Amino acid sequence: MSAQAVLYGIKNCDTVRKARQWLEGHGIAYVFHDYRVDGMAAVPLDRWADALGWDVLLNRASTTFRALEAVDKADLNRARAIELMKANPTLIKRPVLEWAGHLQVGFKPDQYAGLFK
């Protein structure tokens, strides 16, 4: 895992914006990886799934998930979920923050504060 904070997400996502504002407001340097702009090749979904579980990463509440065909949502397992997230990055819960051996999915100011204390 990276020694420098890396924030993964999509720039027009409100939660990602809040996380970026929090990091910048607290003077924390980070690299932002936008799934749509920077692509999925460098996104370590397999490692994240190993560390957190694929079900933590998959955003079942997303518009993208709801729009999937029933056959794509049926019988999900790790491999199929990762394949779907790679093909549809908006299926990944946002943001994902990677820093100093920690992985954080979603944004809550108190969790970020605890991480960077």
Side-chain angles (χ1 to χ4, degrees), residues 47-99:
R47 184 166 46 78
W48 294 350
D50 289 344
L52 302 171
W54 64 267
D55 51 328
V56 171
L57 296 168
L58 183 64
N59 187 358
R60 293 175 190 261
S62 72
T63 303
T64 304
F65 187 81
R66 291 191 306 265
L68 290 174
E69 297 292 328
V71 68
D72 289 328
K73 294 187 243 184
D75 300 321
L76 278 177
N77 60 29
R78 182 186 188 280
R80 289 201 15 79
I82 288 174
E83 179 182 305
L84 282 171
M85 287 185 278
K86 284 181 179 177
N88 304 284
T90 55
L91 288 173
I92 303 169
K93 286 184 185 169
R94 300 180 297 269
V96 176
L97 175 70
E98 203 169 13
W99 179 72

Side-chain angles (χ1 to χ4, degrees), residues 4-116:
Q4 181 177 25
V6 180
L7 189 71
Y8 295 85
I10 297 167
K11 70 180 170 188
N12 65 346
C13 171
D14 288 338
T15 309
V16 170
R17 272 192 217 118
K18 290 175 187 174
R20 294 181 77 180
Q21 288 171 351
W22 190 95
L23 291 168
E24 291 162 9
H26 288 82
I28 297 167
Y30 68 96
V31 171
F32 179 61
H33 182 100
D34 187 317
Y35 300 134
R36 289 182 175 153
V37 175
D38 302 316
M40 292 298 293
V43 177
L45 274 173
D46 287 305
R47 184 166 46 78
W48 294 350
D50 289 344
L52 302 171
W54 64 267
D55 51 328
V56 171
L57 296 168
L58 183 64
N59 187 358
R60 293 175 190 261
S62 72
T63 303
T64 304
F65 187 81
R66 291 191 306 265
L68 290 174
E69 297 292 328
V71 68
D72 289 328
K73 294 187 243 184
D75 300 321
L76 278 177
N77 60 29
R78 182 186 188 280
R80 289 201 15 79
I82 288 174
E83 179 182 305
L84 282 171
M85 287 185 278
K86 284 181 179 177
N88 304 284
T90 55
L91 288 173
I92 303 169
K93 286 184 185 169
R94 300 180 297 269
V96 176
L97 175 70
E98 203 169 13
W99 179 72
H102 300 279
L103 271 174
Q104 179 73 42
V105 177
F107 171 69
K108 290 193 169 88
D110 58 332
Q111 290 176 339
Y112 273 39
L115 189 63
F116 289 103

